[in-house]
Amino acid sequence: MAAGSARIVRYILFAFFGIMILYFMSSSSIPRPPLPTTSNLMGERGKTHPGAPAGDVQTPPPATVEKVADASNAASAPALTSPKQSNDGPSGPAQPVAETSGERMNATFVTLARNSDLWEIVKSIRQVEDRFNRKFHYDWVFLNDKPFDTTFQNVTTSLISGKTHYGLIPEEHWSFPEHIDTDKARRVREDMAQRKIIYGDSISYRHMCRFESGFFFQHPLMQQFEWYWRVEPSIELYCDIDYDTFKFMRDHNKKYSFVLSLYEYVETIPTLWDSVKTFRNNHPEHIAEDNGMKFLSDDGGETYNHCHFWSNFEIGNLNWLRSQAYTDYFNQLDKDGGFFYERWGDAPVHSIAAGLLLKKDEIHFFNDIAYYHVPFTHCPTGEQYRLDRKCHCNPKDNFDWKGYSCTSRFFDMNKLEKPQGYKDQQD
């Protein structure tokens, strides 16, 4: 009897557990509403919920598309102009307040790039937009010796808060001029390749240096602008820039600016200073009083010390580059052929021009624009300075006061006080 009762209890328990298992299996197959995604939640912001005050919720306005005329590039795409919005916090005490309305300078960013550079230049664009241009919405000009493809235009346009312009470089600005002996130029490249001089065997690099030295500011797309900021692929900006750099240049009568300076490779410019001296002798009227010769030469101009401003970052005045003084200067250099018979870079070409044709106080060092272009870093000296500007650079990487930098020369020439702590960053 006891055994029979035990069996009945076991049957009841088995039945109970079986029913529970069937219940859980059936309930797990019932469709459930999905968890809300970020886009769902963001979409809800445009709806008025019960209890919300009338007019308390705003839906961001849609972006507007505006065509940018560009006769030099038949494949040009529409330019996307994003809504002018600002999410700025308080700026540092020493800087003007960032403005998104009011006076804007006649200025643009300019980038020389190939279609294959897309995924490197977008990194630079994000840096510039996040740290500066989201507040000011300046235009951006892209130049290429080949037409930009649709992907390049669409991706870059989507990231830039100002208008975008895409231009094709004229063939005469990206080729051997008629007066160049191409066989002699070829032999030079072969010799530099054997000596392992950086870019010594490259034709395209020489075209680039000549174009940046004498022609980018003449491009039809650039003619409408007065100021430029040069941006190259894969750069970084480490600090917030909460004021309009173009207005700063205008208001303080600056024509050219830099963040990094260093010595040029001697093997690439053996006769550059000879051409410069020829220009000086032929055009003494173009040499500015109180110029920056002391940055360029240690003996009053007899020889060149090879110091130059690193031109992958520049903010400058286009009217100066279009002046008769600069035109005569470039034409002398171009005539002498050193872009092809040697490997003259646009950095020493621009730097020498700034040092001779401008007053030394028309050249500005942007200490607060923390910048990286492989392999060098400019990181502002001073901890509180970096904290105020939300910088993320490592001060140990700062190149300014190293032995191969020329920035100390610039400070000495202008009798500027070096920042506190600079000695700790010397070699």
Side-chain angles (χ1 to χ4, degrees):
M1 184 68 179
S5 299
R7 281 197 299 274
I8 292 171
V9 171
R10 285 198 296 273
Y11 291 149
I12 292 172
L13 290 174
F14 287 145
F16 173 77
F17 286 118
I19 291 170
M20 292 297 294
I21 291 171
L22 289 173
Y23 170 77
F24 284 117
M25 290 177 63
S26 62
S27 64
S28 65
S29 64
I30 296 173
R32 299 171 185 255
L35 292 173
T37 63
T38 302
S39 58
N40 296 146
L41 294 173
M42 293 298 289
E44 291 296 311
R45 294 176 60 190
K47 301 177 181 178
T48 302
H49 295 277
D56 189 51
V57 179
Q58 295 182 345
T59 304
T64 58
V65 177
E66 182 172 352
K67 276 283 187 181
V68 175
D70 182 3
S72 63
N73 189 352
S76 64
L80 184 67
T81 304
S82 299
K84 303 293 189 284
Q85 298 178 345
S86 176
N87 299 312
D88 308 320
S91 61
Q95 299 295 351
V97 176
E99 296 177 355
T100 57
S101 61
E103 181 189 14
R104 288 178 73 252
M105 298 295 292
N106 184 17
T108 185
F109 295 95
V110 60
T111 294
L112 180 63
R114 301 160 296 190
N115 289 304
S116 59
D117 293 325
L118 173 61
W119 303 114
E120 296 304 314
I121 193 58
V122 295
K123 298 175 185 177
S124 302
I125 292 170
R126 284 280 7 138
Q127 294 277 330
V128 172
E129 287 289 327
D130 291 348
R131 290 296 196 174
F132 173 80
N133 203 42
R134 65 186 175 87
K135 312 180 208 35
F136 302 103
H137 315 289
Y138 280 107
D139 287 12
W140 207 306
V141 173
F142 294 93
L143 301 174
N144 190 354
D145 66 311
K146 301 289 191 297
F148 284 107
D149 60 36
T150 301
T151 300
F152 187 100
Q153 295 183 60
N154 288 344
V155 172
T156 52
T157 293
S158 71
L159 296 173
I160 294 168
S161 58
K163 296 177 185 177
T164 51
H165 313 258
Y166 302 88
L168 187 64
I169 297 171
E171 183 178 359
E172 62 269 23
H173 293 171
W174 199 273
S175 58
F176 291 99
E178 291 183 356
H179 66 274
I180 293 297
D181 182 339
T182 55
D183 287 335
K184 177 181 176 180
R186 174 183 51 79
R187 292 193 296 272
V188 168
R189 295 193 303 274
E190 291 172 351
D191 174 68
M192 285 192 169
Q194 290 183 345
R195 291 189 286 145
K196 300 188 182 334
I197 295 174
I198 186 169
Y199 302 121
D201 61 343
S202 174
I203 296 177
S204 64
Y205 188 84
R206 287 172 165 81
H207 289 324
M208 181 274 290
C209 291
R210 180 172 178 256
F211 176 77
E212 293 282 22
S213 296
F215 300 117
F216 85 90
F217 47 87
Q218 296 182 15
H219 193 280
L221 288 178
M222 296 296 292
Q223 291 292 336
Q224 62 189 302
F225 299 107
E226 184 181 355
W227 300 90
Y228 75 100
W229 179 334
R230 178 171 164 180
V231 179
E232 294 202 353
S234 302
I235 61 101
E236 290 194 55
L237 294 180
Y238 291 118
C239 303
D240 284 352
I241 306 168
D242 288 328
Y243 66 101
D244 191 327
T245 56
F246 300 114
K247 283 185 183 178
F248 176 91
M249 295 283 286
R250 189 271 313 271
D251 293 345
H252 293 83
N253 194 32
K254 305 296 184 181
K255 303 289 179 62
Y256 187 83
S257 64
F258 72 101
V259 293
L260 285 164
S261 67
L262 63 157
Y263 293 92
E264 179 62 299
Y265 295 104
V266 178
E267 297 87 350
T268 66
I269 54 168
T271 68
L272 174 59
W273 196 249
D274 293 334
S275 292
V276 171
K277 290 167 76 173
T278 300
F279 162 76
R280 287 165 53 201
N281 291 334
N282 292 341
H283 294 283
E285 73 277 11
H286 292 327
I287 307 304
E289 295 182 4
D290 197 24
N291 59 40
M293 178 66 85
K294 289 184 178 179
F295 179 79
L296 304 171
S297 176
D298 301 327
D299 53 18
E302 184 61 29
T303 60
Y304 178 37
N305 61 21
H306 305 109
C307 277
H308 68 277
F309 309 119
W310 217 22
S311 59
N312 48 66
F313 170 95
E314 294 176 325
I315 299 177
N317 184 274
L318 290 163
N319 290 335
W320 168 60
L321 292 174
R322 299 180 188 122
S323 69
Q324 191 61 51
Y326 189 89
T327 300
D328 290 342
Y329 166 78
F330 172 75
N331 286 343
Q332 178 66 60
L333 270 54
D334 199 35
K335 175 185 174 183
D336 290 344
F339 292 106
F340 300 102
Y341 298 148
E342 296 176 8
R343 203 229 64 189
W344 294 353
D346 55 283
V349 170
H350 283 191
S351 302
I352 293 170
L356 297 181
L357 308 182
L358 298 176
K359 296 180 179 180
K360 63 174 184 276
D361 61 6
E362 292 179 310
I363 305 171
H364 181 64
F365 171 55
F366 272 112
N367 183 50
D368 49 329
I369 299 183
Y371 176 83
Y372 170 79
H373 183 293
V374 61
F376 300 120
T377 296
H378 164 62
C379 186
T381 305
E383 181 180 8
Q384 191 58 49
Y385 196 96
R386 295 189 297 271
L387 293 174
D388 290 343
R389 289 154 183 80
K390 303 178 179 64
C391 304
H392 70 281
C393 54
N394 185 344
K396 294 181 180 179
D397 295 333
N398 186 29
F399 181 70
D400 294 349
W401 315 114
K402 308 297 185 187
Y404 202 65
S405 170
C406 294
T407 300
S408 282
R409 288 179 176 269
F410 181 81
F411 272 68
D412 294 341
M413 176 182 71
N414 289 284
K415 297 181 172 56
L416 299 174
E417 183 179 354
K418 296 184 175 95
Q420 185 176 1
Y422 82 95
K423 291 183 179 180
D424 297 332
Q425 298 178 347
Q426 291 178 322
D427 290 336

